[in-house]
Amino acid sequence: TQSTWGIHFFFIMKVWVACLLLLAIGVQCREPKKAKPTKHVESSTTEKIQEDVMQSSDVARKHDVRALGLVKDRVNYKTILQYHASFCSDVSHRHFQGGDTLAYVTPWNGKGYEIAKKFKAKFTFISPVWYQIDPTVQGPDFRIKINGGHDVDTRWLQELKTTSPNALNPQVPKIVPRFLFQGFDGNQLYFLFTSQKLISQLAKMVTQECTRNQYDGIVVELWSSVASVPMLKEPMIKFIVNFAKLLKKNGLLFILVVPPSFEAVDFHQLQQSVERFSVMTYDYSDPRTPGPNAPLPWINQQITSLIRDSTPEVSRKILMGIPFYGYDFSEGGKMEPIVGHSYVDMLREKKPNLEWESTSCEHKFSYRDNTGGHHKVYYPSLKFLEDRLALASQLGTGISIWEIGQGLDFFYDLL
């Protein structure tokens, strides 16, 4: 009937109007808000920092610490906390324009193993601190033994030697583990230094270990504990010459660790036999005289005294030591080493005011402990590292880092 049709028509109209309203509302919700036109400007340093702060959880950053304006003497502890665990995503580019870079890795600091793999393109040499050379027994009837093989990590070594097919810098570091002479008395050392038979046996043992693990050479630590004994110094020099010659004959590099007091006359006497000299230009201060760990003028003086009048080729044999650790000095002549993670913990807890010591070119801060005792802390900073890299470049030397597991991740932007 007509009344029934009218009811149906009215119902259909209501449904149609409701659909139109819903459609209009849906279109309005989906329609994007028009952005106001903006003028393109170059990102300022502040904008770059803000951008990278947003990416801090990703660890890798687009910009390095120089581009972010973080390498400066006036530093806020909050900035270190924000950036210390991050690094520039381009891990293959070498910024250091000096000579070679030697990085030490210790088995008691596992972070160093990861750092070595991540930034391997920045290192010329990597030296795992694994081996000790000891006498089998005390007295004259001793033999030589090599300990430390249990620390060898073959998988890690393989990863260091493997390059990514997409790597911009396919260069791989040379592996030169450290061999530390220890446990010898004076008579045994003299006998070792003057016995061609023992020297040949030692060279054979070291060569076999290097061949087994495909090492490129070795780092030898011997000088510091022996050179102060007058009767042993000259025999030791002859031993180094003979030992290095045998290893070189077997295709192995020979790098010698020397103290900052190492003299130019000894350097020139050995420079034809030794591939590189790792100079320990750190540990300047002690508990009796708290202060900087590696003051820049002192480093400059020590290295310059070695390479004065040397050719650029000879100067490159020097690897200037740079510490990636610091010290916490306290009253009563106490001195505790500080590594990266403990330094970061101190910054979080103490919220210190960092000071730049212009005479040494090092950052420091002071605090009081729970008993009211006064502490003074020195630890490397980006500015600390930048100044020492600049000095090495200026002098034409390389660098050696003790040790990469103790530093902060953003240090490697500068290498």
Side-chain angles (χ1 to χ4, degrees), residues 242-259:
N242 291 332
F243 188 29
K245 182 179 179 181
L246 292 173
L247 294 182
K248 187 175 182 180
K249 184 178 179 181
N250 294 325
L252 298 172
L253 303 172
F254 188 97
I255 298 174
L256 182 66
V257 179
V258 295

Side-chain angles (χ1 to χ4, degrees), residues 25-36:
I25 293 171
V27 170
Q28 184 177 7
C29 292
R30 288 193 300 269
E31 184 180 2
K33 185 178 180 180
K34 293 182 179 180
K36 295 180 180 180

Side-chain angles (χ1 to χ4, degrees), residues 61 65 70 80 83-84 86 382 408-414:
R61 290 179 273 99
V65 291
L70 302 181
I80 299 176
Y83 283 97
H84 75 88
S86 63
L382 291 171
L408 301 176
D409 288 4
F410 68 172
F411 286 172
Y412 301 96
D413 283 13
L414 299 177

